[in-house]
Amino acid sequence: MIPKKFSINKIPSYGPYNTCVFIKGFLFVSVQIAVDQNTEKLVSNHIEMETKKVMDNIEIILS
């Protein structure tokens, strides 16, 4: 089975990888960092803000 590779336009991709890959009924999401998709700048004020941004980015990918 050939994996389906996705790049999500709303989430900037840094590096030579896809945002997620779907194969055999599983969706594999690549590592995310706390990047604001509007400004493309790293959110790095506090660990709580970084964690929320990463989770927001994952939510965008999964939607």
Side-chain angles (χ1 to χ4, degrees):
M1 173 179 272
I2 298 173
K4 286 178 128 180
K5 299 176 182 179
F6 299 93
S7 287
I8 310 300
N9 293 336
K10 293 181 180 180
I11 302 295
S13 180
Y14 300 98
Y17 56 84
N18 294 299
T19 307
C20 54
V21 175
F22 183 78
I23 186 168
K24 295 185 179 184
F26 290 95
L27 182 67
F28 297 91
V29 177
S30 64
V31 172
Q32 297 300 305
I33 57 176
V35 173
D36 186 307
Q37 67 271 22
N38 298 318
T39 63
E40 294 192 14
K41 292 186 179 179
L42 189 63
V43 174
S44 61
N45 299 359
H46 300 286
I47 188 65
E48 293 87 2
M49 293 176 71
E50 290 179 43
T51 303
K52 176 155 180 22
K53 190 64 197 152
V54 166
M55 297 308 289
D56 289 345
N57 289 349
I58 292 172
E59 182 178 16
I60 290 169
I61 292 168
L62 296 177
S63 65

